[in-house]
Amino acid sequence: MIFPFLFIFFCLSSTVFGISDELINPKKLPMFVDDLPDMPKLLGFHGQHPNHLQIGMFLKTWKFHRDLPPTPVFAYGISKDTATVPGPTIEAVHGISTFVTWQNHLPSKHILPWDPTIPTAIPAGNNGVPTVVHLHGGITEPASDGHATSWFTNGFKDKGPSWTKKTYHYPNQQHPGNLWYHDHAMGLTRVNLLAGLVGAYIICHPDVEAPLRLPYGREFDRSLLVFDRSFLYNGSIFMNSTGNNPSIHPQWQPEYFGDVIVVNGKAWPRMRVQRRKYRFRIINAGNARFYRFFFTNGLKFIQVASDSAYLSQPVVSKAILLAPSEIADVVVDFSKSTTNTVILANDAAYPYPSGDPVNEANSKVMKFYISKNKEVETQPIPKKLIQYPKPDLSSASYTRYIAMYEYTSDIDEPTHLYLNGKPYEAPVTEKPKVGSTEIWYVINLTEDNHPLHIHMGLLAALEQTELVHLEEFKDCMTKKNDAVKCKIEEHARGKRRKVNSNEKGWKNVYKMMPGFVTKILVRFSNIHSNTSYPFDATAEPGYVYHCHILDHEDNAMMRPLKLVY
Ligand SMILES: *[C@@H]1O[C@H](CO)[C@@H](O)[C@H](O)[C@H]1NC(C)=O
Ligand SMILES: *[C@@H]1O[C@H](CO)[C@@H](O)[C@H](O)[C@H]1NC(C)=O
Ligand SMILES: *[C@@H]1O[C@H](CO)[C@@H](O)[C@H](O)[C@H]1NC(C)=O
Ligand SMILES: CC(=O)N[C@H]1CO[C@H](CO)[C@@H](O)[C@@H]1O
Ligand SMILES: [Cu+2]
């Protein structure tokens, strides 16, 4: 009789019990019991030569927490056995091309509910889940950019209308920095990422970066991909299969939020650190959750880069706000810690900024256990980092107004969101010239903060100005959809918000405050040199720009972007 007893004991201590199709209460999952994983690394180069990687997408299971049963996921990896969530970190070197053949090995049925009533990739042959990989922050030719309509299914059996090739070319000729790869299939981005299709990609430029003497090496320089999920008792990821307007969109909901905060594939992980400096490249890889990260003992972040590029000088702060897809590359000096443990926490309301306050579960991210041994000496952080051209208004040759609209149903629930009042399918209206710089006024007429991401564009935020007589302006915009005719300059007269110093560099995504007009300078050229793009950026199928709240992007806060000569 001892065996069954032991067996039950084993089960109780290793998984949580409950009704399998019910949501697990995050309180049932103890925090800080799993070690922070280090994702496998793939080199995008071979000595001084390009490397050609074959990376698959596989259906497998993944343990998100010691006490959760294995979760079905979609994972990137070299093989099914080695595939991980997030996927392997790709390390590329400036000036050396990386080629990747992305291979879809996914089954015909999705593991999460999706919605065919929003603009969605639906394979004619029903040969599996459509996917397409976008390298976020990459300066990449259109055919390798992972255009939303260039999707493909298992074995390339079905392909989207703009699909052209199997092997993507990443020239890596841009400035060094932090990128990430993730799925971008039309109307399925929110579910494909939720299923696990995300991974980090770093472009190193040793000549430029080595002199900075930032913490380096596998132990001291870590990528942290953060996302939130909800789970059922049987371990499956929970995504509501009923929409907020089920009679219009059976499944679509305006924002996905989960209460379990996952870092590098483990719920609220722990990490043992020495009393010294570490570098963390923090990527918000979630669908809709913003994080305002802070340390519970007041320890500070020394931010050295944001999404894509280095800052010109380090910025020290106690809290960092990251919208979905934003990146903060920070140094944390644990020798300054007054305590031997510290929690990385979050206090951003969701939806941001006017939604629910954080709760016990989603306010914690991970915990650090700091060695009691004496401090390890490390190099000081330099006062200057990397200098890129400052945003130069006089170089701008074109001005655009981009208005963000949210539409609601009779029951006052959001049905969809558009940029400039246009569906994705409407003919392209944004056609910047290769090499040009433009001013974009982004007008948020919704209640949410929307992180706007522009493929190929490097943007510098200039200022945010509150709109006065907002209802009058909104009425006019709803009727005319024309910021100039609606006298934007007479409305852009409210409070001015300066750009935070950690957000002053060149970025590829920026938070558009609700009720404000945000002025950004967008460059369609390199920042590290005056060389032109090493490919024809005007080729088909072009690019896109979109809100990076994935549930918005899918329905359909995304528009085509076509570069021209
Ligand atoms: C968990 O339960 C849900 C709801 O009943 C079901 O759809 C899903 O397939 C189950 N997952 C596993 C891994 O059994
Ligand atoms: C799923 O969404 C529907 C519609 O908004 C809502 O009524 C229901 O409570 C949601 N279910 C869960 C478990 O959140
Ligand atoms: C690029 O050209 C501008 C204007 O001619 C010049 O000021 C700048 O120094 C150049 N930048 C680089 C990195 O060569
Ligand atoms: C927080 C905030 O300012 N929200 C405003 C965003 O814009 C909408 C419409 O323009 C207003 O109704 C909100 O109050
Ligand atoms: Cu949005």
Side-chain angles (χ1 to χ4, degrees), residues 197-331:
L197 296 178
V198 298
Y201 187 113
I202 296 170
I203 298 180
C204 322
H205 193 161
D207 297 351
V208 176
E209 292 180 276
L212 303 177
R213 295 165 167 253
L214 297 173
Y216 71 96
R218 204 165 181 138
E219 195 180 346
F220 306 117
D221 175 1
R222 307 285 295 262
S223 290
L224 303 179
L225 280 95
V226 185
F227 53 66
D228 55 327
R229 295 288 182 272
S230 283
F231 297 96
L232 300 176
Y233 270 99
N234 67 6
S236 280
I237 294 170
F238 171 72
M239 187 183 210
N240 200 331
S241 53
T242 308
N244 61 320
N245 282 298
S247 62
I248 303 169
H249 295 304
Q251 187 274 327
W252 183 82
Q253 296 251 5
E255 274 114 11
Y256 175 91
F257 294 111
D259 277 336
V260 178
I261 308 299
V262 179
V263 187
N264 291 359
K266 293 289 175 193
W268 307 290
R270 64 183 176 202
M271 181 184 177
R272 290 176 210 290
V273 294
Q274 300 175 29
R275 288 203 163 263
R276 55 160 286 159
K277 294 191 191 79
Y278 282 73
R279 178 177 189 173
F280 297 110
R281 304 165 188 256
I282 311 172
I283 303 177
N284 180 349
N287 281 35
R289 184 181 291 281
F290 284 54
Y291 297 88
R292 188 169 26 235
F293 293 111
F294 66 96
F295 285 106
T296 47
N297 68 353
L299 200 60
K300 289 179 182 150
F301 301 97
I302 308 165
Q303 190 169 346
V304 295
S306 63
D307 30 273
S308 159
Y310 275 93
L311 299 172
S312 59
Q313 57 198 58
V315 176
V316 179
S317 65
K318 282 198 162 167
I320 292 181
L321 179 68
L322 282 193
S325 88
E326 280 192 303
I327 298 175
D329 187 342
V330 300
V331 173

Side-chain angles (χ1 to χ4, degrees), residues 62 64 71-76 85-86 110-114 180 182-183 188-198 227-231 235-241 251 253 255-258 260 262 285-289 550-551 554:
W62 182 258
F64 281 100
T71 302
V73 292
F74 292 166
Y76 287 116
V85 177
H110 212 292
I111 54 172
L112 293 170
W114 53 284
W180 59 299
H182 63 72
D183 197 72
L188 296 171
T189 300
R190 73 193 184 294
V191 283
N192 287 353
L193 270 80
L194 209 58
L197 296 178
V198 298
F227 53 66
D228 55 327
R229 295 288 182 272
S230 283
F231 297 96
S236 280
I237 294 170
F238 171 72
M239 187 183 210
N240 200 331
S241 53
Q251 187 274 327
Q253 296 251 5
E255 274 114 11
Y256 175 91
F257 294 111
V260 178
V262 179
N287 281 35
R289 184 181 291 281
L550 305 179
D551 316 85
D554 276 351

Side-chain angles (χ1 to χ4, degrees), residues 359-428:
N359 59 35
E360 178 56 25
N362 59 39
S363 63
K364 306 284 186 303
V365 179
M366 64 181 287
K367 186 168 183 177
F368 295 93
Y369 291 83
I370 307 162
S371 141
K372 294 193 183 79
N373 297 343
K374 76 174 197 336
E375 168 180 355
V376 180
E377 283 222 38
T378 46
Q379 297 291 339
I381 308 291
K383 292 210 163 54
K384 291 230 176 288
L385 295 162
I386 300 183
Q387 311 306 311
Y388 293 116
K390 293 228 161 7
D392 173 15
L393 270 178
S394 69
S395 65
S397 54
Y398 201 89
T399 299
R400 295 182 198 279
Y401 297 91
I402 310 290
M404 298 173 148
Y405 295 89
E406 180 174 80
Y407 306 85
T408 50
S409 64
D410 305 344
I411 54 167
D412 207 25
E413 279 287 319
T415 54
H416 60 296
L417 301 99
Y418 280 162
L419 294 168
N420 284 339
K422 291 185 198 312
Y424 173 76
E425 299 80 11
V428 55

Side-chain angles (χ1 to χ4, degrees), residues 254-255 287 290 404 406 417 419 446 448-452 546-553 557:
E255 274 114 11
N287 281 35
F290 284 54
M404 298 173 148
E406 180 174 80
L417 301 99
L419 294 168
T446 79
D448 294 335
N449 188 318
H450 302 273
L452 190 75
H546 57 88
C547 172
H548 221 291
I549 291 179
L550 305 179
D551 316 85
H552 294 179
E553 169 184 350
M557 220 174 170

